[in-house]
Amino acid sequence: SQNYEAKEGYRLSRYNWKITEEEIAACFWSPYNAPPKRSLMATKYGDFGWEPNETYIFELSYTANKILIKIDGEVIFDYNGCFGPGKVGFYCMSQLKTHFQNFSIKSFLNFTHEPTSACVNEEVSFLPYYPVCSDLPYFVDSLYWEFGDNQTSTELFPLHYYDSDGTYDIKLTVYKEGDCVDAIERQIVIKKNPLVNLGNDTIVDACTTISLDAHNPGSEYLWSNGSVQQITDIYMIKDTSIYVDVINNSCAASDTINIKTHTLPISELKFPTAFSPNGDGLNDKFHAVGILDDVAEFNMQIFNRWGQLVFNTDSVYEGWDSSYNGQSSPTGIYIVKVNYVNGNQCTGLQAFSYNGSFTLVK
């Protein structure tokens, strides 16, 4: 009817001349806010009226958080906000012989969930299409969720977790005064999380390399050592914890392994019981024998039988050739005292002392 009256909500009017801001304010109103007035006029239908002898297909979607208007399939008004229940009126103030016909109005149910697909044990938030702005639509006083895994809820905005992968049928049923008003079903796909197992905590020898495999080929990897490969090699020096994050098909999993290092035994230095400085190239010097490169600190003192210090060095690579005060020392028994620190990052460091005697032979 040309004289249909809208007592609530929006009035939508069309003129065949360009109207002013004041006229917009008079002809378009909302109980909530003003911006839709200007948005509605900023269309090809906003400045001028309907064309004579034309038929227009007018579509309106009105929800608690959106008003969407289409004319001949073209969106001319799309506004998000918070809207209460209301009515929409159609007016023709300047063009007579305009008829509105074939009206069809339907209240329908819908819902969404975030994320649209989820992983096992990931939080899924279910939302009716009227959330945020109002508690329930006017034609509903209760609702009932079925999540497809024998779990249900009567909350408006339920949170749910699925403990196994698969496709689940979700159903939302709404009631008014105890009677079923409407029901809608849709599906959600729950994806499997990658299975990550680095193995049991273990003990390895220090200064050895171990390989860890995160499995799940084709996934994205991030190891605590910075590697992004499926397999990473770890050179073990000290106790450490290694973890990896694995992402496959947008689903993530992680694992940690604790690895202790077994310190290798430290090799002590050996010292000969005799030497012969006769220039034959064999045993011409008295010196330490062993893995000399691992010695961190070293001091060796040699005394003759009268207790005189005949040789002193802080270098593990230096030996005594029997010289003392510019002369070769005589044959006999000599006392040696050695203090040193031996070891490396694999064995650790340890202090040692050696006190003994040796024979100078000529």
Side-chain angles (χ1 to χ4, degrees):
S1 168
Q2 180 176 331
N3 297 318
Y4 179 81
E5 180 181 0
K7 295 181 179 180
E8 300 179 52
Y10 282 82
R11 293 177 181 174
L12 307 177
S13 303
R14 293 294 177 225
Y15 288 80
N16 60 1
W17 69 86
K18 190 171 183 178
I19 63 177
T20 65
E21 287 288 321
E22 291 75 15
E23 289 172 316
I24 292 176
C27 297
F28 291 82
W29 60 272
S30 162
Y32 291 92
N33 42 36
K37 302 170 186 176
R38 292 173 176 79
S39 299
L40 187 58
M41 296 305 297
T43 70
K44 69 178 183 179
Y45 302 101
D47 292 339
F48 302 97
W50 314 108
E51 294 291 333
N53 302 314
E54 289 288 337
T55 298
Y56 297 92
I57 299 176
F58 183 91
E59 299 174 68
L60 167 68
S61 296
Y62 181 93
T63 70
N65 48 20
K66 178 185 282 290
I67 296 178
L68 176 66
I69 299 174
K70 295 181 181 180
I71 297 179
D72 291 341
E74 179 183 353
V75 176
I76 65 163
F77 182 65
D78 187 352
Y79 189 78
N80 296 316
C82 291
F83 310 110
K87 298 178 181 178
V88 177
F90 297 87
Y91 289 81
C92 183
M93 296 185 176
S94 60
Q95 290 178 269
L96 301 178
K97 299 182 181 180
T98 298
H99 300 280
F100 299 96
Q101 59 188 12
N102 298 326
F103 280 94
S104 176
I105 300 175
K106 179 182 178 181
S107 297
F108 64 92
L109 184 67
N110 210 337
F111 70 87
T112 186
H113 49 79
E114 298 176 356
T116 53
S117 64
C119 306
V120 171
N121 294 323
E122 181 180 4
E123 180 182 275
V124 182
S125 174
F126 290 90
L127 306 167
Y129 259 5
Y130 355 85
V132 181
C133 300
S134 60
D135 291 335
L136 285 172
Y138 69 93
F139 60 91
V140 173
D141 56 21
S142 66
L143 45 75
Y144 184 70
W145 296 90
E146 298 172 80
F147 300 116
D149 59 353
N150 297 320
Q151 301 297 313
T152 62
S153 175
T154 57
E155 296 180 4
L156 181 59
F157 310 122
L159 301 177
H160 191 63
Y161 302 83
Y162 291 90
D163 57 12
S164 60
D165 61 298
T167 300
Y168 294 86
D169 296 317
I170 309 162
K171 184 177 181 179
L172 172 61
T173 306
V174 296
Y175 298 89
K176 181 70 172 180
E177 297 177 352
D179 294 327
C180 177
V181 175
D182 200 357
I184 185 172
E185 296 185 27
R186 62 175 52 185
Q187 292 183 328
I188 185 173
V189 176
I190 303 299
K191 298 174 291 186
K192 183 183 299 184
N193 291 323
L195 180 61
V196 184
N197 185 0
L198 298 180
N200 297 326
D201 295 347
T202 187
I203 300 176
V204 300
D205 288 338
C207 293
T208 57
T209 298
I210 64 170
S211 292
L212 298 176
D213 191 343
H215 303 287
N216 302 280
S219 301
E220 298 178 41
Y221 308 91
L222 180 59
W223 294 85
S224 54
N225 65 349
S227 173
V228 294
Q229 304 301 317
Q230 176 183 329
I231 299 175
T232 189
D233 293 330
I234 310 293
Y235 184 69
M236 296 301 303
I237 297 177
K238 60 182 180 180
D239 297 351
T240 188
S241 294
I242 303 295
Y243 69 85
V244 63
D245 293 324
V246 179
I247 301 176
N248 186 290
N249 195 21
S250 300
C251 295
S254 62
D255 193 26
T256 299
I257 183 172
N258 299 306
I259 307 173
K260 291 184 176 293
T261 52
H262 175 262
T263 302
L264 299 176
I266 298 176
S267 176
E268 296 186 43
L269 298 179
K270 305 296 183 181
F271 297 90
T273 58
F275 83 110
S276 56
N278 54 15
D280 63 357
L282 299 174
N283 299 320
D284 286 335
K285 290 185 178 182
F286 180 87
H287 58 78
V289 178
I291 304 176
L292 305 185
D293 290 344
D294 284 348
V295 177
E297 299 177 16
F298 182 83
N299 177 258
M300 181 172 67
Q301 295 177 325
I302 298 176
F303 302 86
N304 61 23
R305 59 182 177 176
W306 295 284
Q308 293 175 306
L309 179 64
V310 297
F311 182 75
N312 180 69
T313 183
D314 291 327
S315 173
V316 71
Y317 300 102
E318 185 179 5
W320 184 46
D321 61 1
S322 81
S323 61
Y324 174 63
N325 289 334
Q327 296 182 355
S328 178
S329 297
T331 299
I333 304 297
Y334 290 81
I335 305 300
V336 59
K337 294 182 178 181
V338 182
N339 293 293
Y340 65 97
V341 176
N342 198 10
N344 52 44
Q345 62 182 0
C346 304
T347 62
L349 298 177
Q350 185 174 343
F352 294 91
S353 294
Y354 173 79
N355 296 302
S357 63
F358 62 91
T359 302
L360 191 160
V361 180
K362 291 186 178 180

